[in-house]
Amino acid sequence: MESVSKCITPKLDELKGKKIVFSSDDKTLVPAQGWGARPSSYCTSTITTFRPIRENTMVSAIDSSSIKLAETEDGALYAIKCGVAMAFGGAALMHFKIGPMLFYLSESTIFDSELDDRLARLVLADSDTARRLIRVRAERAIQSELSSHLHNSIILVDGSLRNSLFEDRGCSMAKIAENCTLNKNLIAGISKNTKLKILERAAAPLVNIPGPAYIEVDVIIKSLVRGSIGRNLMAKLDKNTAVLRVDVVGDKDQALGRLLGNDPIACGYPETLRLAHHVSTFTNTEMTCLRSHVLNTYQVTELMANDIRHTLLGSIMV
């Protein structure tokens, strides 16, 4: 303890009297009643309330999930599945499942792409980065199609609106936002959680507001994050619900109001985004079918495999 303390001081005395939420594995937990009001120098304390706008508007939400299905000696096989859900006039309208689609990433496929050489090598070396690449490109392709073919609609994105290193040049988020402007669409990115703790402090005043409201946090986002697109807000979409980060391209009051007026809001979250998430999630049956498809179609030879971590560490029932 003495040796470690020389590298980083514990400072446990500063913990006394603090409000605390204990962590649980990799879950994102937030205090039910907020952390309490605490002034922040990064944003205005102005709270703007808004109400549903009963103007019939198509709302389209996109989400996706990707998995690593298999490995070879010089590459890896990935699968992606996308979900698109639509609502209109305050009711869910329809949903689509796109995929699963298979992608084999190896040196020959990666270096033929437009990726930077160093980024291409990272994709080959790290499966999480590869899955991110496939998700970003698939979602951007769908978002681009919707932004070009829909008019006077709202497009919902799971996550923030920002440029990505993994984007194809023809389907960048900036290009999608431009298409939305040309076709009079509104696009909003809604994040279920944020890694920027300062945003939680900035949004603390919203906890006690009885209905839908937002606070602008452009100053915080623009100073900490590169490539952010649109206006940045912390918003709650219903009474007594979680505060979410919302990025909007277009009139923010129109976007939020028409969203509430056309998309059912359950527990403070748009039903279209919730449905798109569930539609895009892989099931055990799909995983089994994909493995069978690969074995029967591509003349591969399945090898026996060992779980190295389990072999070395064993397992202890607790």
Side-chain angles (χ1 to χ4, degrees), residues 15 26 31 34 37 45-46 49 51 62 117 157 166 172 175 182 195 223 246 249 254 260 281 301 315:
L15 182 64
D26 58 349
S45 58
T46 302
T49 59
R51 304 186 65 172
I62 306 100
D117 183 69
V157 176
F166 304 124
S172 67
K175 180 67 174 177
L182 293 174
K195 295 181 180 179
S223 65
V246 181
V249 172
Q254 276 286 317
L260 292 191
T281 301
T301 302
S315 61

Side-chain angles (χ1 to χ4, degrees), residues 131-148:
R131 289 172 54 219
R132 178 65 178 162
L133 166 72
I134 295 170
R135 279 194 65 186
V136 167
R137 295 213 166 188
E139 288 187 9
R140 292 290 190 272
I142 298 172
Q143 292 158 7
S144 179
E145 290 292 329
L146 292 175
S147 67
S148 299

Side-chain angles (χ1 to χ4, degrees), residues 136-195:
V136 167
R137 295 213 166 188
E139 288 187 9
R140 292 290 190 272
I142 298 172
Q143 292 158 7
S144 179
E145 290 292 329
L146 292 175
S147 67
S148 299
H149 290 86
L150 295 179
H151 300 273
N152 295 309
S153 300
I154 298 174
I155 298 173
L156 294 184
V157 176
D158 179 40
S160 59
L161 300 184
R162 55 178 297 187
N163 293 316
S164 171
L165 293 172
F166 304 124
E167 293 175 335
D168 181 77
R169 295 175 184 175
C171 290
S172 67
M173 180 54 73
K175 180 67 174 177
I176 293 167
E178 181 182 339
N179 287 343
C180 285
T181 301
L182 293 174
N183 291 305
K184 298 182 180 180
N185 293 316
L186 299 166
I187 184 170
I190 300 181
S191 304
K192 293 181 286 294
N193 54 70
T194 176
K195 295 181 180 179

Side-chain angles (χ1 to χ4, degrees), residues 223-240:
S223 65
L224 297 176
V225 180
R226 289 184 178 181
S228 178
I229 295 175
R231 304 296 298 274
N232 310 117
L233 316 170
M234 293 298 289
K236 56 186 296 187
L237 302 182
D238 204 353
K239 59 182 180 181
N240 302 322

Side-chain angles (χ1 to χ4, degrees), residues 11-54:
K11 293 286 186 180
L12 293 177
D13 54 318
E14 295 189 11
L15 182 64
K16 293 181 178 179
K18 295 285 186 181
K19 300 175 183 177
I20 193 170
V21 173
F22 287 102
S23 302
S24 176
D25 298 327
D26 58 349
K27 296 178 182 178
T28 301
L29 303 177
V30 295
Q33 301 300 321
W35 292 105
R38 179 178 175 180
S40 173
S41 59
Y42 287 90
C43 72
T44 176
S45 58
T46 302
I47 296 175
T48 304
T49 59
F50 57 95
R51 304 186 65 172
I53 298 176
R54 307 297 180 183

